[in-house]
Amino acid sequence: MGLASRKGKRRQHSAVLPIIDSSQCTYCKKCMKWCPADAIIQDNGKAYIVADKCIGCGECIATCRFDAVKYNFNADEGYLQKSMAEHACGAVIDKPGKCFYFNVLINMTQNCDCLVRSRTRN
């Protein structure tokens, strides 16, 4: 995912949209102000993300001080994995014989590593 553009990363995460935990939402409206798609509305005194309008940018996650906004990792993870593979292929397809690949797995998390809060220590 690291070689993808910002737009590409947004596209990769588009199937894994954020959700709001209403038990942690204080309805401070900060996420609503920062949402570029106006996808967050008020529902029973709490913020609510309209999935059809959400573009998956993660601004709401970055601005929530109360950890009420989280990615819904139970969504279609197959799409995310396929999209990441397609972007990786696009980054190296015009560089035959010029790439070296190695994998190292350290400090694995159950959630996406783009969320600093989700990192755990082993």
PDB file of all heavy atoms in Angstrom, residues 88-106:
ATOM      1  N   ALA A  88       0.051  -2.814  -6.059  1.00  0.00           N
ATOM      2  CA  ALA A  88       1.443  -3.269  -6.007  1.00  0.00           C
ATOM      3  C   ALA A  88       1.915  -3.688  -7.395  1.00  0.00           C
ATOM      4  O   ALA A  88       3.027  -3.358  -7.810  1.00  0.00           O
ATOM      5  CB  ALA A  88       1.580  -4.424  -5.016  1.00  0.00           C
ATOM      6  N   CYS A  89       1.063  -4.402  -8.122  1.00  0.00           N
ATOM      7  CA  CYS A  89       1.403  -4.814  -9.489  1.00  0.00           C
ATOM      8  C   CYS A  89       1.629  -3.583 -10.374  1.00  0.00           C
ATOM      9  O   CYS A  89       2.596  -3.537 -11.148  1.00  0.00           O
ATOM     10  CB  CYS A  89       0.299  -5.688 -10.058  1.00  0.00           C
ATOM     11  SG  CYS A  89       0.593  -6.238 -11.749  1.00  0.00           S
ATOM     12  N   GLY A  90       0.773  -2.588 -10.239  1.00  0.00           N
ATOM     13  CA  GLY A  90       0.906  -1.371 -11.030  1.00  0.00           C
ATOM     14  C   GLY A  90       2.199  -0.626 -10.745  1.00  0.00           C
ATOM     15  O   GLY A  90       2.766   0.028 -11.622  1.00  0.00           O
ATOM     16  N   ALA A  91       2.710  -0.740  -9.510  1.00  0.00           N
ATOM     17  CA  ALA A  91       3.941  -0.039  -9.135  1.00  0.00           C
ATOM     18  C   ALA A  91       5.182  -0.690  -9.728  1.00  0.00           C
ATOM     19  O   ALA A  91       6.196  -0.031  -9.929  1.00  0.00           O
ATOM     20  CB  ALA A  91       4.061   0.018  -7.613  1.00  0.00           C
ATOM     21  N   VAL A  92       5.125  -1.994 -10.032  1.00  0.00           N
ATOM     22  CA  VAL A  92       6.324  -2.693 -10.505  1.00  0.00           C
ATOM     23  C   VAL A  92       6.206  -3.239 -11.923  1.00  0.00           C
ATOM     24  O   VAL A  92       7.194  -3.745 -12.462  1.00  0.00           O
ATOM     25  CB  VAL A  92       6.702  -3.850  -9.545  1.00  0.00           C
ATOM     26  CG1 VAL A  92       6.983  -3.325  -8.155  1.00  0.00           C
ATOM     27  CG2 VAL A  92       5.625  -4.922  -9.516  1.00  0.00           C
ATOM     28  N   ILE A  93       5.057  -3.137 -12.544  1.00  0.00           N
ATOM     29  CA  ILE A  93       4.835  -3.780 -13.842  1.00  0.00           C
ATOM     30  C   ILE A  93       5.792  -3.279 -14.933  1.00  0.00           C
ATOM     31  O   ILE A  93       6.185  -4.036 -15.819  1.00  0.00           O
ATOM     32  CB  ILE A  93       3.362  -3.648 -14.286  1.00  0.00           C
ATOM     33  CG1 ILE A  93       3.051  -4.676 -15.376  1.00  0.00           C
ATOM     34  CG2 ILE A  93       3.045  -2.223 -14.725  1.00  0.00           C
ATOM     35  CD1 ILE A  93       1.573  -4.896 -15.590  1.00  0.00           C
ATOM     36  N   ASP A  94       6.201  -2.045 -14.857  1.00  0.00           N
ATOM     37  CA  ASP A  94       7.107  -1.512 -15.888  1.00  0.00           C
ATOM     38  C   ASP A  94       8.571  -1.569 -15.458  1.00  0.00           C
ATOM     39  O   ASP A  94       9.419  -0.902 -16.043  1.00  0.00           O
ATOM     40  CB  ASP A  94       6.710  -0.083 -16.244  1.00  0.00           C
ATOM     41  CG  ASP A  94       6.815   0.873 -15.075  1.00  0.00           C
ATOM     42  OD1 ASP A  94       6.872   0.411 -13.912  1.00  0.00           O
ATOM     43  OD2 ASP A  94       6.845   2.092 -15.308  1.00  0.00           O
ATOM     44  N   LYS A  95       8.867  -2.387 -14.451  1.00  0.00           N
ATOM     45  CA  LYS A  95      10.242  -2.510 -13.955  1.00  0.00           C
ATOM     46  C   LYS A  95      10.695  -3.973 -13.920  1.00  0.00           C
ATOM     47  O   LYS A  95      11.207  -4.439 -12.900  1.00  0.00           O
ATOM     48  CB  LYS A  95      10.327  -1.902 -12.556  1.00  0.00           C
ATOM     49  CG  LYS A  95       9.960  -0.434 -12.502  1.00  0.00           C
ATOM     50  CD  LYS A  95       9.723   0.008 -11.066  1.00  0.00           C
ATOM     51  CE  LYS A  95       9.195   1.408 -11.001  1.00  0.00           C
ATOM     52  NZ  LYS A  95       7.832   1.547 -11.464  1.00  0.00           N
ATOM     53  N   PRO A  96      10.546  -4.715 -15.026  1.00  0.00           N
ATOM     54  CA  PRO A  96      10.944  -6.133 -14.997  1.00  0.00           C
ATOM     55  C   PRO A  96      12.447  -6.298 -14.752  1.00  0.00           C
ATOM     56  O   PRO A  96      13.258  -5.569 -15.318  1.00  0.00           O
ATOM     57  CB  PRO A  96      10.542  -6.651 -16.378  1.00  0.00           C
ATOM     58  CG  PRO A  96      10.523  -5.443 -17.245  1.00  0.00           C
ATOM     59  CD  PRO A  96      10.105  -4.297 -16.348  1.00  0.00           C
ATOM     60  N   GLY A  97      12.769  -7.213 -13.860  1.00  0.00           N
ATOM     61  CA  GLY A  97      14.177  -7.485 -13.556  1.00  0.00           C
ATOM     62  C   GLY A  97      14.841  -6.425 -12.697  1.00  0.00           C
ATOM     63  O   GLY A  97      16.040  -6.508 -12.436  1.00  0.00           O
ATOM     64  N   LYS A  98      14.110  -5.427 -12.256  1.00  0.00           N
ATOM     65  CA  LYS A  98      14.692  -4.340 -11.466  1.00  0.00           C
ATOM     66  C   LYS A  98      14.171  -4.304 -10.032  1.00  0.00           C
ATOM     67  O   LYS A  98      14.464  -3.367  -9.301  1.00  0.00           O
ATOM     68  CB  LYS A  98      14.408  -2.993 -12.127  1.00  0.00           C
ATOM     69  CG  LYS A  98      15.017  -2.846 -13.506  1.00  0.00           C
ATOM     70  CD  LYS A  98      14.691  -1.507 -14.092  1.00  0.00           C
ATOM     71  CE  LYS A  98      15.298  -1.391 -15.484  1.00  0.00           C
ATOM     72  NZ  LYS A  98      14.972  -0.125 -16.109  1.00  0.00           N
ATOM     73  N   CYS A  99      13.384  -5.290  -9.655  1.00  0.00           N
ATOM     74  CA  CYS A  99      12.785  -5.291  -8.317  1.00  0.00           C
ATOM     75  C   CYS A  99      13.280  -6.485  -7.514  1.00  0.00           C
ATOM     76  O   CYS A  99      13.536  -7.555  -8.056  1.00  0.00           O
ATOM     77  CB  CYS A  99      11.262  -5.340  -8.418  1.00  0.00           C
ATOM     78  SG  CYS A  99      10.552  -3.896  -9.198  1.00  0.00           S
ATOM     79  N   PHE A 100      13.412  -6.277  -6.238  1.00  0.00           N
ATOM     80  CA  PHE A 100      13.791  -7.329  -5.302  1.00  0.00           C
ATOM     81  C   PHE A 100      12.703  -7.367  -4.242  1.00  0.00           C
ATOM     82  O   PHE A 100      12.259  -6.325  -3.753  1.00  0.00           O
ATOM     83  CB  PHE A 100      15.153  -6.995  -4.675  1.00  0.00           C
ATOM     84  CG  PHE A 100      15.586  -7.980  -3.640  1.00  0.00           C
ATOM     85  CD1 PHE A 100      16.054  -9.234  -4.015  1.00  0.00           C
ATOM     86  CD2 PHE A 100      15.520  -7.665  -2.301  1.00  0.00           C
ATOM     87  CE1 PHE A 100      16.458 -10.151  -3.057  1.00  0.00           C
ATOM     88  CE2 PHE A 100      15.916  -8.573  -1.338  1.00  0.00           C
ATOM     89  CZ  PHE A 100      16.389  -9.822  -1.721  1.00  0.00           C
ATOM     90  N   TYR A 101      12.249  -8.547  -3.887  1.00  0.00           N
ATOM     91  CA  TYR A 101      11.144  -8.674  -2.946  1.00  0.00           C
ATOM     92  C   TYR A 101      11.585  -9.441  -1.706  1.00  0.00           C
ATOM     93  O   TYR A 101      12.282 -10.451  -1.803  1.00  0.00           O
ATOM     94  CB  TYR A 101       9.977  -9.441  -3.595  1.00  0.00           C
ATOM     95  CG  TYR A 101       9.512  -8.825  -4.885  1.00  0.00           C
ATOM     96  CD1 TYR A 101      10.007  -9.263  -6.107  1.00  0.00           C
ATOM     97  CD2 TYR A 101       8.584  -7.801  -4.886  1.00  0.00           C
ATOM     98  CE1 TYR A 101       9.588  -8.700  -7.294  1.00  0.00           C
ATOM     99  CE2 TYR A 101       8.164  -7.222  -6.068  1.00  0.00           C
ATOM    100  CZ  TYR A 101       8.666  -7.679  -7.271  1.00  0.00           C
ATOM    101  OH  TYR A 101       8.242  -7.113  -8.429  1.00  0.00           O
ATOM    102  N   PHE A 102      11.179  -8.948  -0.554  1.00  0.00           N
ATOM    103  CA  PHE A 102      11.372  -9.692   0.686  1.00  0.00           C
ATOM    104  C   PHE A 102      10.238  -9.313   1.631  1.00  0.00           C
ATOM    105  O   PHE A 102       9.669  -8.228   1.546  1.00  0.00           O
ATOM    106  CB  PHE A 102      12.740  -9.416   1.324  1.00  0.00           C
ATOM    107  CG  PHE A 102      12.971  -7.979   1.685  1.00  0.00           C
ATOM    108  CD1 PHE A 102      12.677  -7.502   2.953  1.00  0.00           C
ATOM    109  CD2 PHE A 102      13.497  -7.086   0.759  1.00  0.00           C
ATOM    110  CE1 PHE A 102      12.900  -6.171   3.280  1.00  0.00           C
ATOM    111  CE2 PHE A 102      13.722  -5.763   1.080  1.00  0.00           C
ATOM    112  CZ  PHE A 102      13.420  -5.301   2.341  1.00  0.00           C
ATOM    113  N   ASN A 103       9.901 -10.215   2.505  1.00  0.00           N
ATOM    114  CA  ASN A 103       8.810 -10.006   3.461  1.00  0.00           C
ATOM    115  C   ASN A 103       9.335 -10.191   4.872  1.00  0.00           C
ATOM    116  O   ASN A 103      10.057 -11.152   5.150  1.00  0.00           O
ATOM    117  CB  ASN A 103       7.672 -11.014   3.233  1.00  0.00           C
ATOM    118  CG  ASN A 103       6.979 -10.789   1.918  1.00  0.00           C
ATOM    119  OD1 ASN A 103       6.612  -9.677   1.608  1.00  0.00           O
ATOM    120  ND2 ASN A 103       6.810 -11.845   1.141  1.00  0.00           N
ATOM    121  N   VAL A 104       8.960  -9.288   5.741  1.00  0.00           N
ATOM    122  CA  VAL A 104       9.281  -9.379   7.147  1.00  0.00           C
ATOM    123  C   VAL A 104       8.018  -9.031   7.907  1.00  0.00           C
ATOM    124  O   VAL A 104       7.405  -7.991   7.661  1.00  0.00           O
ATOM    125  CB  VAL A 104      10.420  -8.405   7.544  1.00  0.00           C
ATOM    126  CG1 VAL A 104      10.697  -8.483   9.020  1.00  0.00           C
ATOM    127  CG2 VAL A 104      11.671  -8.684   6.735  1.00  0.00           C
ATOM    128  N   LEU A 105       7.607  -9.881   8.812  1.00  0.00           N
ATOM    129  CA  LEU A 105       6.398  -9.636   9.605  1.00  0.00           C
ATOM    130  C   LEU A 105       6.805  -9.398  11.056  1.00  0.00           C
ATOM    131  O   LEU A 105       7.309 -10.295  11.721  1.00  0.00           O
ATOM    132  CB  LEU A 105       5.451 -10.838   9.505  1.00  0.00           C
ATOM    133  CG  LEU A 105       5.049 -11.227   8.087  1.00  0.00           C
ATOM    134  CD1 LEU A 105       4.225 -12.498   8.110  1.00  0.00           C
ATOM    135  CD2 LEU A 105       4.280 -10.112   7.427  1.00  0.00           C
ATOM    136  N   ILE A 106       6.579  -8.168  11.522  1.00  0.00           N
ATOM    137  CA  ILE A 106       6.933  -7.782  12.885  1.00  0.00           C
ATOM    138  C   ILE A 106       5.750  -7.031  13.489  1.00  0.00           C
ATOM    139  O   ILE A 106       5.127  -6.206  12.825  1.00  0.00           O
ATOM    140  CB  ILE A 106       8.182  -6.863  12.902  1.00  0.00           C
ATOM    141  CG1 ILE A 106       9.369  -7.572  12.249  1.00  0.00           C
ATOM    142  CG2 ILE A 106       8.528  -6.433  14.320  1.00  0.00           C
ATOM    143  CD1 ILE A 106      10.571  -6.670  12.053  1.00  0.00           C
TER     144      ILE A 106
END
